[in-house]
Amino acid sequence: MKKFKFTIRGQEYDVEIKDFQGSEAKIEVNGTSYDVDVEVEEKASKTPRLVRKAVVNKPGEGSIKKGGSGSAVVKAPLPGSIIKINVAVGDSINPGDTLLVMEAMKMENNVLAEKGGSVKAIKVAVGDSVLQDDVLIEIA
């Protein structure tokens, strides 16, 4: 693997590292093989470690879901920022209308209406950051 030449107190040693795994190394010194334990100092990573839960996409995620009182809500399909709102409170909407545009993963995503109705409330403003499943718009 790697060869080195050491001089210790005037004595020369030809050292060859044959194998190195974890903290154990197989070396050869002047033709004689040795198994040695090496103390390896683990470096702490400066980059924080991101731990995520496994996300299972549910059918209809990010779409309008019916509430118990005949109202519906539009939820954010993924984390992002609101860059444009195309409706106002009281507007009538039809299925397929673009309700708002959000930027997520460096892409502009249109959030469409799956059901018709009128806009009851807008829970976000342009520039707001939202997380997945945050309520964006309520429809009556």
Side-chain angles (χ1 to χ4, degrees):
M1 204 170 166
K2 289 186 179 181
K3 293 184 179 186
F4 299 94
K5 187 169 275 214
F6 293 102
T7 303
I8 302 173
R9 294 187 199 126
Q11 181 74 27
E12 283 191 7
Y13 298 93
D14 290 320
V15 178
E16 184 177 355
I17 299 175
K18 298 286 189 179
D19 187 31
F20 192 85
Q21 291 182 358
S23 64
E24 294 182 14
K26 294 181 189 266
I27 65 170
E28 189 175 290
V29 180
N30 291 343
T32 307
S33 295
Y34 297 95
D35 289 332
V36 295
D37 288 327
V38 179
E39 287 187 30
V40 179
E41 194 174 308
E42 293 205 22
K43 295 180 182 179
S45 175
K46 292 181 183 179
T47 306
R49 222 170 158 194
L50 178 63
V51 179
R52 293 185 179 177
K53 296 179 188 176
V55 177
V56 178
N57 291 333
K58 300 171 191 121
E61 192 171 86
S63 62
I64 298 174
K65 297 180 183 174
K66 283 286 189 182
S69 62
S71 65
V73 293
V74 177
K75 292 186 177 184
L78 57 159
S81 299
I82 306 301
I83 58 175
K84 185 177 181 184
I85 299 176
N86 297 334
V87 294
V89 176
D91 284 357
S92 225
I93 59 169
N94 297 313
D97 288 351
T98 301
L99 303 175
L100 56 89
V101 180
M102 65 183 289
E103 181 181 351
M105 300 188 310
K106 299 189 180 197
M107 292 177 56
E108 290 185 9
N109 300 285
N110 293 329
V111 178
L112 306 176
E114 287 191 6
K115 307 267 185 200
S118 64
V119 178
K120 180 178 169 185
I122 299 174
K123 300 290 187 176
V124 293
V126 173
D128 286 354
S129 292
V130 295
L131 297 175
Q132 184 172 351
D133 290 334
D134 283 354
V135 176
L136 305 175
I137 297 175
E138 290 182 4
I139 299 172

